[in-house]
Amino acid sequence: VLACIFLLTIVLSGFYPALLLSRAAPIPLIRGSVNPAGDKRILLRVVSVVQICMAVCLLTILLGINTQIRYLKNHPMGYNPENIMMISNLNQGLTENYPAIRDQLLSLNGMEEVAASSHTIGAGNSGQSIRMYSDDPDHVLGIDEYRIYPGICHLYQFKLVAGRFLDPQRTSDRSGIILNEAAVNMLGKSPEEIVGEQVVMFEDPMEVIGVVEDFNYKSAARTITPLALTAYSERMRNIVVRTSPGTDPQEILKNMEEVIHTFDPAYVIINRFATDLIEGYYIAEERLQKILLAGSLLSVLIVLLGIYALVSHNIVKRTKEIGIRKVMGGSTSQMMMMIYASTLKWTLIASVLAIPLAFLYMRGWLSDYAVRIPLYWWIFAGSILLVVLFQTLITLGKTRRTARRNPVEALRYE
């Protein structure tokens, strides 16, 4: 397909001028008095407008996507991911010695909190079903689940709406459950009403200990879905720590490794940071951003050539006019503005055509995001101004060289 497109492009690019030249009489061709493209050069202007329109569209979309990605990354997650580090894939020996490991880790300089979990917050969860204890056993609803140990909610700094967090000192809390606001709404209750009520996820009822404010445990671009935080599982996969602001992560990691190696010298630490997990949410958007950046750069290069061709055509067509105006006392700046005005209108026409196209694409692309930017006017204005800037530099530069030539040469120009 690419080979066919390549060959077709070559054929068409050569066929059009050959057709026009072959239609002219031989004598005028030999004398050079025939303009093969005609007087108006409609094709050149159409191609230039299409090129500029495509460039404005691509630049607008690129600027919009870049703004959306920055907005997503800076959007509050509903908890504080800063200074959180996780050690994953714990073996049975480390799991059994967790209380001792936790005490030693808390004694390290720069260590604020230590907790444990089976799931990694922000990196996958279990899908379960849930219902109120008083509801029909067949009336179950879908819900996501994170299996944690008491202490995780406080470490991640989730915002409590009602009730309390799971308490490591209360053994009974291991059979309790914490819900987010989306889960409470799904169950048809208010946060204050559901605390102390019993829900069923498996066979035994579980008491609702607390309700936390909705937080993004997936990409901020996705709608927050119902979530349950449970502590019944004895399986431990992660040790999670929060360090003091300003501490060196590598120094903390080195000290943690020394502590863990006192319990298992052969264990290889696999660590991750909570902020890295959040960065990973937007890989697809960043990949699209890079593709559009390459396309926009190529498009701008093509537009520069198109603008150069359009300006050159206008100057060639009006060379004698420029010479006459210079003889009659016209200044170089007047000549520059005359040519600039005649080419600027085509850039503005292309920009007007590009705005609705870019708007429709961006509106459709943003509709997939639960959290999204408004379509700011400056996203469109910025791309237009960039193209106009290129057009201005090319037009004024080339016109200035022509206008400063000797008027006699312009008058003798054929």
Side-chain angles (χ1 to χ4, degrees), residues 15 37 42 84 105 108 145 162 165 176 207 241 285 290 323 391:
F15 178 77
I42 296 177
I84 293 180
L105 290 177
L108 297 176
E145 179 195 17
F165 290 142
E207 182 183 349
V241 303
E285 285 81 2
K290 291 178 182 178
Q391 188 258 350

Side-chain angles (χ1 to χ4, degrees), residues 14 38 78 91 141 148 169 174-175 195 231-232 239 250 265-266 269 295 358 364 388 393 399 409-410:
N91 56 36
L141 301 167
I148 62 173
Q169 305 300 323
R174 297 299 299 273
S175 59
V195 172
Y232 63 83
I239 293 179
Q250 297 304 319
I269 288 185
V388 169
L393 294 176
T399 305
E409 296 181 11

